[in-house]
Amino acid sequence: MTILVTFSEADFEIIAGPPSPGEEKKQVSMFIDFVEEAMQFCMVESDIQSTGCSLRYLSVDTHPFKDLGDLYQLAYINLDTLLELPENPKDRIKIQLPVIEEGVGRISEVARILGIPSTDPEEALLGCFRIRLAHKQLENTLDFNSIKTVIRGTEDQLEHLKKRGLHPSNMGGIIDTPATVAINDVWGLDDQPPKPMPKFFVFE
């Protein structure tokens, strides 16, 4: 089945460039590929959040490390305006997106977990697209020698995450206790961190 989703023309041009005569099919295909990538990204992100964990950005330039915040904070994702479209219909573009029938409910569930302000599949796909686009644009600005992406949660939450296979090996994590969830200072790999303080580790 397909779902007809409305995007702004500006959304389309960021991914596929301005509409070009003779290149329409290629550009639409490129755009659809990005929307599918966005959906996969948001599915993983929602799976992480469903375990109680969160994806964070960690500065390792100084000790203790600094938790800079999550994707929504750093990429300035505003859920209140996430689904806004231009008032002028000429500035909008409608694209038919292929979706397996069983996937419609999954799309709506992802939207609910991520806080996208609509679980209608059409708007949920637009929301996922914009979250992934903001993520890509943010990561193009970061120096990954000094900033690392990490998954933060309590020991129980992180164990649940590991059992579901939702972390890549060699990725960083942060262990919390109920007393440390609001602390932005994060201890490094030393064995004896100050208490209470979140502790950094590397997934095996």
Side-chain angles (χ1 to χ4, degrees):
M1 63 177 293
T2 59
I3 296 178
L4 184 64
V5 182
T6 303
F7 299 89
S8 74
E9 192 147 329
D11 289 334
F12 183 88
E13 291 185 8
I14 290 171
I15 301 304
S20 178
E23 296 291 318
E24 294 92 343
K25 285 187 179 180
K26 181 179 177 181
Q27 289 181 299
V28 169
S29 178
M30 185 187 307
F31 189 81
I32 290 173
D33 286 347
F34 185 86
V35 177
E36 290 176 348
E37 175 188 324
M39 195 62 233
Q40 290 299 318
F41 172 83
C42 287
M43 283 181 181
V44 172
E45 176 72 4
S46 70
D47 284 341
I48 290 170
Q49 289 192 27
S50 72
T51 67
C53 298
S54 59
L55 188 68
R56 314 285 294 186
Y57 289 82
L58 187 69
S59 171
V60 295
D61 272 345
T62 58
H63 203 284
F65 301 155
K66 301 293 181 187
D67 182 341
L68 301 176
D70 65 14
L71 170 63
Y72 287 17
Q73 291 171 289
L74 295 186
Y76 302 106
I77 294 172
N78 183 344
L79 294 173
D80 293 332
T81 59
L82 187 67
L83 302 180
E84 286 185 354
L85 290 166
E87 290 186 14
N88 189 340
K90 292 182 179 179
D91 295 327
R92 303 179 186 182
I93 187 167
K94 294 181 183 288
I95 303 235
Q96 292 274 6
L97 295 172
V99 178
I100 59 171
E101 196 161 344
E102 308 83 65
V104 173
R106 175 78 163 124
I107 292 167
S108 298
E109 177 69 3
V110 166
R112 184 189 65 77
I113 293 170
L114 296 184
I116 294 170
S118 173
T119 57
D120 289 342
E122 296 84 356
E123 291 187 317
L125 283 165
L126 172 62
C128 288
F129 166 86
R130 288 186 167 157
I131 288 171
R132 176 59 169 164
L133 180 60
H135 173 255
K136 295 273 278 192
Q137 291 173 327
L138 168 67
E139 298 213 329
N140 286 338
T141 71
L142 298 180
D143 175 5
F144 285 102
N145 292 315
S146 60
I147 296 175
K148 307 297 180 187
T149 51
V150 295
I151 297 175
R152 185 167 182 171
T154 64
E155 285 196 61
D156 287 347
Q157 290 166 341
L158 290 164
E159 188 60 32
H160 186 197
L161 183 93
K162 287 174 70 176
K163 286 179 179 176
R164 293 181 61 184
L166 294 173
H167 68 280
S169 60
N170 299 320
M171 183 176 184
I174 299 174
I175 304 173
D176 264 314
T177 69
T180 69
V181 291
I183 296 176
N184 288 332
D185 286 347
V186 176
W187 203 249
L189 292 169
D190 301 346
D191 290 334
Q192 299 296 324
K195 295 183 179 180
M197 184 176 277
K199 184 178 178 182
F200 175 80
F201 72 99
V202 177
F203 284 104
E204 295 178 353

